[in-house]
């Protein structure tokens, strides 16, 4: 599905006196004019060079843009950002979605728990992957592969399709991301495991499982995680006296967490929340450190202000 603002119909209605691209703006600022986007006398895009892809999407099939160009200079046809190893170590979990474009074999050798697998996206049109990516056109997405090249090519394919916030990890690939994040986490025993670490590892004896608010829409999405789900509000009661009726309180203090864990029977599924995710993760990690080995989740990138009405509606 090509968004309407990329369609030929939009282009053909524009004045022939201006340089308009199917991107809906000046060619020089949106397409680097690689498509030769001057309108002809009939108000259509001339197609002498690029076999019609410029007319269809506003971008060119010609291989005119290279990874190094976007790293060194950037430009309107480049991904939103080119992400370094230092940046990804700090920000891995902060992206709305992480998209891995490596092969099935590479994926099976190791991959991030909180990632979407789109093998072949570097070489194929994005519309073949809408079963996984539909609705994410405006999401903040990190792309990676094994060395950077395929992630960059995949980014261009998504940009051609209308995705607007695509970031490419270019200093290596997933093995480098994993090694650097794990090393960074393990170097600080007090903070280990970090949220980035657990976004890769997923639920384990060390890590709780993230529940990004973007992936949920109702109380049922939370309460269906187990047969005995307990909502755990980790916010300090003094600062946040209001709470969801079904929730229990557990401030992130060692003695309070220990007492809470000692009171569990072992068949519960725990879901922590705060206001936006930071303390929800800290609380869930503290529960793990007190020896809880059962199902453990935390709500991330959102919290009480976002979910409170879900539970009022479910009563």
């Amino acid at each position: 599905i090509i968004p309407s603002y990329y369609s030929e119909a939009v282009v053909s209605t524009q004045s022939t006196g201006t340089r308009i691209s199917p991107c809906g703006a000046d060619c020089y600022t949106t397409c680097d004019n690689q498509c030769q986007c001057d309108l002809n006398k009939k108000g259509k895009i001339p197609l002498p060079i690029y076999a019609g892809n410029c007319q269809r999407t506003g971008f060119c099939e010609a291989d005119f843009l290279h990874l190094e160009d976007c790293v060194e200079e950037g430009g309107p046809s480049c991904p939103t950002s080119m992400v370094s190893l230092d940046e990804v170590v700090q920000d891995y979990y902060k992206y709305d979605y992480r998209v891995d474009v490596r092969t099935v074999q590479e994926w099976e050798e190791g991959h991030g728990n909180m990632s979407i697998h789109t093998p072949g996206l570097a070489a194929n049109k994005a519309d073949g992957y809408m079963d996984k990516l539909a609705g994410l056109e405006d999401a903040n997405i990190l792309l990676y592969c094994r060395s950077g090249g395929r992630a960059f090519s995949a980014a261009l394919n998504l940009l051609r399709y209308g995705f607007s916030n695509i970031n490419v990890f270019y200093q290596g690939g997933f093995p480098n991301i994993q090694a650097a994040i794990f090393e960074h986490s393990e170097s600080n025993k007090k903070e280990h495991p970090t949220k980035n670490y657990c976004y890769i590892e997923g639920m384990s004896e060390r890590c709780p499982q993230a529940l990004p608010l973007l992936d949920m829409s109702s109380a049922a999405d939370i309460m269906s995680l187990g047969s005995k789900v307990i909502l755990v509000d980790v916010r300090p009661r003094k600062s946040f006296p209001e709470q969801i009726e079904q929730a229990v309180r557990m401030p992130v203090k060692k003695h309070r967490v220990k007492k809470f864990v000692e009171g569990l029977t072992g068949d519960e599924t725990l879901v922590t929340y705060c206001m936006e995710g930071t303390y929800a993760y800290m609380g869930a990690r503290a529960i793990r450190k007190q020896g809880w080995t059962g199902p453990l989740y935390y709500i991330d990138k959102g919290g009480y202000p976002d979910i409170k009405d879900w539970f009022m509606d479910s009563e």
Side-chain angles (χ1 to χ4, degrees):
I1 300 172
I2 301 299
S4 60
Y5 47 84
Y6 283 169
S7 69
E8 179 182 346
V10 172
V11 178
S12 63
T13 61
Q14 302 290 342
S15 167
T16 58
T18 58
R19 294 174 182 265
I20 298 294
S21 81
C23 305
D26 189 294
C27 272
Y28 288 100
T29 60
T30 59
C31 297
D32 294 342
N33 205 33
Q34 297 294 331
C35 293
Q36 304 298 310
C37 285
D38 299 279
L39 297 178
N40 61 24
K41 292 181 179 179
K42 294 183 179 181
K44 301 291 184 69
I45 299 295
L47 311 173
I49 303 175
Y50 296 108
N53 199 48
C54 175
Q55 185 174 22
R56 189 176 71 83
T57 66
F59 292 85
C60 311
E61 289 185 2
D63 186 18
F64 65 90
L65 194 62
H66 300 282
L67 185 151
E68 292 78 11
D69 299 327
C70 292
V71 172
E72 295 173 4
E73 299 180 9
S77 292
C78 287
T80 306
S81 69
M82 302 298 289
V83 181
S84 69
L85 186 59
D86 287 343
E87 290 171 322
V88 84
V89 167
Q90 295 298 319
D91 299 335
Y92 182 79
Y93 78 88
K94 295 179 182 179
Y95 295 95
D96 294 333
Y97 299 96
R98 288 141 296 279
V99 176
D100 188 331
V101 305
R102 297 176 300 157
T103 65
V104 172
Q105 180 179 346
E106 290 171 316
W107 169 270
E108 290 177 348
E109 291 172 354
H111 60 270
N113 171 260
M114 298 295 291
S115 59
I116 300 171
H117 190 210
T118 58
L121 181 57
N124 300 300
K125 292 181 179 179
D127 57 4
Y129 297 86
M130 288 303 105
D131 59 325
K132 297 182 178 180
L133 302 177
L136 309 188
E137 288 81 359
D138 295 321
N140 187 20
I141 295 173
L142 174 69
L143 284 175
Y144 51 81
C145 58
R146 190 177 186 87
S147 61
R150 282 174 290 171
F152 181 73
S153 296
L156 298 186
N157 282 340
L158 291 175
L159 291 170
R160 292 182 183 114
Y161 200 77
F163 284 71
S164 63
N165 197 354
I166 303 298
N167 309 274
V168 174
F169 175 61
Y170 71 92
Q171 288 188 325
F174 177 72
N176 305 94
I177 293 173
Q178 182 179 39
I181 285 177
F182 279 20
E183 180 182 358
H184 180 265
S185 179
E186 292 164 357
S187 67
N188 187 337
K189 292 184 178 180
K190 183 178 180 180
E191 299 298 325
H192 179 63
T194 61
K195 189 186 286 190
N196 279 331
Y197 184 105
C198 291
Y199 256 71
I200 291 176
E201 181 159 292
M203 193 185 300
S204 68
E205 62 181 12
R206 287 179 293 262
C207 287
Q209 176 69 48
L211 291 176
L213 189 71
L214 287 168
D215 297 336
M216 300 182 292
S217 60
S218 69
D221 292 333
I222 299 172
M223 303 309 290
S224 63
L225 292 170
S227 59
K228 188 178 178 181
V229 175
I230 297 180
L231 281 173
V232 184
D233 188 335
V234 303
R235 302 172 302 156
R237 188 186 296 273
K238 185 176 181 179
S239 300
F240 303 98
E242 72 292 340
Q243 71 175 65
I244 294 170
E245 184 176 349
Q246 298 93 323
V248 299
R249 288 279 186 163
M250 187 208 74
V252 188
K253 297 181 181 295
K254 187 174 181 178
H255 69 283
R256 296 292 299 273
V257 177
K258 181 180 180 182
K259 182 178 180 180
F260 172 76
V261 172
E262 288 174 346
L264 298 172
T265 61
D267 59 346
E268 299 91 345
T269 295
L270 308 180
V271 180
T272 65
Y273 70 86
C274 60
M275 295 297 285
E276 43 70 47
T278 300
Y279 281 92
Y281 174 73
M282 293 171 61
R285 183 178 62 187
I287 290 171
R288 272 286 187 256
K289 290 186 174 183
Q290 287 298 324
W292 174 254
T293 58
L296 178 60
Y297 301 83
Y298 69 97
I299 296 175
D300 199 19
K301 301 186 174 93
Y304 176 78
D306 309 286
I307 68 173
K308 61 180 180 179
D309 290 340
W310 294 355
F311 289 90
M312 291 179 62
D313 294 340
S314 67
E315 294 177 356

